[in-house]
Amino acid sequence: MTDATHTAPIRTDWSMEEIRAIYYKPVLELIVEASQVHKQYQATGEVQVCTLLSVKTGGCPEDCAYCPQAARYHTDVPVHKLLSNETVLKAAREAKEGGSTRFCMGAAWREVRDNRDFDRVLEMVEGVNELGLEVCCTLGMVNEYQAERLKQAGLYAYNHNLDTSEENYSNIITTRTYGDRLNTIDNVRKAGISVCSGGIIGLGETDDDRIAMLHVLANLAEHPESVPVNALVPVEGTPLAEQPRVSVWEMVRMIATARILMPKTMVRLSAGRQEMPVSEQALCFLSGANSIFSGDKLLTTPNPGFADDKAMFELLGLTPRKSFKTETACGGTMPAPAEAIPAELAAE
């Protein structure tokens, strides 16, 4: 168990054996250790509230076995073209009023193309950034030039999940490679954009697949600033529609292990929260989760709304994390660089 008097080191050289030893600890011991590491690097009781909006839904050419937006699957998800800027900014304002400090926009694209739609997304990024929200996008694969354009527009973070281990990847997706995923993450990092990358559990993977995915994330040259841990939400019409629900103890093991491996990272309790009572979510927060998505939908699947999350925060004594906040190693706070802070916030 970690000695609370000594700060856990930040490492990018974890072995599979070391990660297995952490992951398989007795669950209560694992929770305690993760909680200690969390307290050393994070403001305890503080949770980042994010909102994710699908700005272009359905019709995706990929074959991700979990995704209801793949064109080849017959699901009830309606296809719609890119939303108007006005619609997106209205949703961003509502998210901010509801308590979100990060607004994420997702488009069902395999990759970004240099066309009018991408130009419109860049305008959306600029508009959301002007609202004082951390703006995030998940648009599929991006090259270095596109990542630079997103950065110049004011993009704060880019999400591109690994989903699972490299060994299991071809069982879930065949229309792109694991290397493609890592290449996009590298392009985002080169542009100076915050990296958001995690995965999904409940795809039929083994514990070793979960450990291997964490091994890749924890051994990147720089840890992702955010690691979403998603529980599969099975959708009728997809190949994984009959997968059983992931247990809270599986989520706890993933979250706690991620927290110990990547102490400064925001570990996000993501998809699957709709099926979790507050007691189960509390276990995840105790295990090191300090970020959630709030709002009635998570792209196309149900998600707890702002009112439910506000009640949960009050019950558990949680407070929302402010936009553009960074943490010092001792758990205190310091402002982000001046150029990253919107004028209206800098004036406060």
Side-chain angles (χ1 to χ4, degrees):
M1 188 175 294
T2 300
D3 184 346
T5 63
H6 294 89
T7 302
I10 303 297
R11 293 178 51 191
T12 57
D13 60 350
W14 294 95
S15 69
M16 283 286 289
E17 291 71 24
E18 287 176 308
I19 299 175
R20 282 193 191 97
I22 295 169
Y23 182 89
Y24 285 117
K25 284 188 177 187
V27 69
L28 294 182
E29 182 179 335
L30 179 61
I31 291 172
V32 169
E33 179 170 351
S35 182
Q36 289 175 342
V37 172
H38 184 78
K39 190 171 184 179
Q40 291 167 2
Y41 283 93
Q42 307 283 345
T44 56
E46 181 182 79
V47 175
Q48 180 189 58
V49 182
C50 315
T51 295
L52 176 57
L53 175 70
S54 179
V55 297
K56 186 273 177 186
T57 304
C60 183
E62 301 241 55
D63 66 352
C64 307
Y66 53 80
C67 185
Q69 299 197 64
R72 67 193 69 205
Y73 306 138
H74 300 289
T75 67
D76 292 331
V77 172
V79 176
H80 71 66
K81 62 183 181 180
L82 195 65
L83 296 177
S84 69
N85 286 24
E86 293 76 15
T87 299
V88 171
L89 290 178
K90 179 176 182 289
R93 291 188 194 98
E94 290 173 352
K96 184 176 181 179
E97 290 169 3
S100 285
T101 57
R102 176 176 289 195
F103 188 77
C104 306
M105 297 179 287
W109 294 334
R110 179 178 187 272
E111 59 198 344
V112 170
R113 299 184 183 278
D114 296 306
N115 57 21
R116 184 176 297 177
D117 279 350
F118 183 42
D119 291 340
R120 286 179 56 198
V121 169
L122 294 173
E123 292 173 3
M124 294 174 190
V125 170
E126 291 174 351
V128 175
N129 187 49
E130 288 172 0
L131 294 176
L133 293 166
E134 294 178 8
V135 56
C136 177
C137 282
T138 179
L139 312 170
M141 295 182 286
V142 293
N143 59 34
E144 289 186 43
Y145 170 68
Q146 292 159 346
E148 283 290 346
R149 292 189 69 193
L150 285 164
K151 174 66 175 178
Q152 291 168 9
L155 190 72
Y156 186 84
Y158 195 87
N159 167 261
H160 202 63
N161 290 333
L162 295 182
D163 288 342
T164 186
S165 69
E166 184 171 10
E167 293 73 19
N168 188 48
Y169 193 77
S170 62
N171 296 323
I172 307 301
I173 304 161
T174 67
T175 48
R176 74 171 93 170
T177 69
Y178 212 69
D180 290 333
R181 296 269 184 183
L182 293 170
N183 187 54
T184 287
I185 291 171
D186 188 49
N187 291 338
V188 168
R189 181 65 78 194
K190 287 177 181 176
I193 297 169
S194 174
V195 171
C196 175
S197 185
I200 307 168
I201 63 173
L203 304 174
E205 75 284 349
T206 65
D207 282 328
D208 251 17
D209 287 319
R210 298 174 183 180
I211 291 165
M213 183 187 72
L214 290 173
H215 178 256
V216 172
L217 292 170
N219 284 344
L220 292 173
E222 293 180 68
H223 293 159
E225 283 78 8
S226 177
V227 171
V229 178
N230 297 278
L232 175 69
V233 178
V235 178
E236 187 175 351
T238 65
L240 297 179
E242 301 304 318
Q243 283 295 112
R245 180 193 170 204
V246 168
S247 76
V248 66
W249 304 114
E250 293 172 278
M251 290 293 284
V252 161
R253 285 198 181 277
M254 284 296 290
I255 288 168
T257 304
R259 169 55 63 219
I260 293 167
L261 299 177
M262 296 170 279
K264 290 186 176 181
T265 293
M266 305 298 295
V267 179
R268 184 172 299 132
L269 175 58
S270 297
R273 277 204 312 125
Q274 180 71 12
E275 304 300 322
M276 299 176 72
V278 170
S279 57
E280 291 187 359
Q281 294 183 61
L283 280 171
C284 293
F285 294 130
L286 188 62
S287 302
N290 62 340
S291 180
I292 60 169
F293 281 117
S294 189
D296 294 336
K297 274 194 176 182
L298 197 59
L299 290 179
T300 61
T301 56
N303 191 65
F306 294 118
D308 289 338
D309 284 332
K310 182 180 179 182
M312 178 178 70
F313 273 44
E314 290 175 353
L315 176 65
L316 300 180
L318 303 175
T319 57
R321 175 186 171 101
K322 294 181 179 179
S323 294
F324 305 102
K325 176 185 173 181
T326 56
E327 300 277 338
T328 64
C330 62
T333 64
M334 61 183 180
E339 65 269 21
I341 302 177
E344 62 267 30
L345 293 182
E348 292 181 357

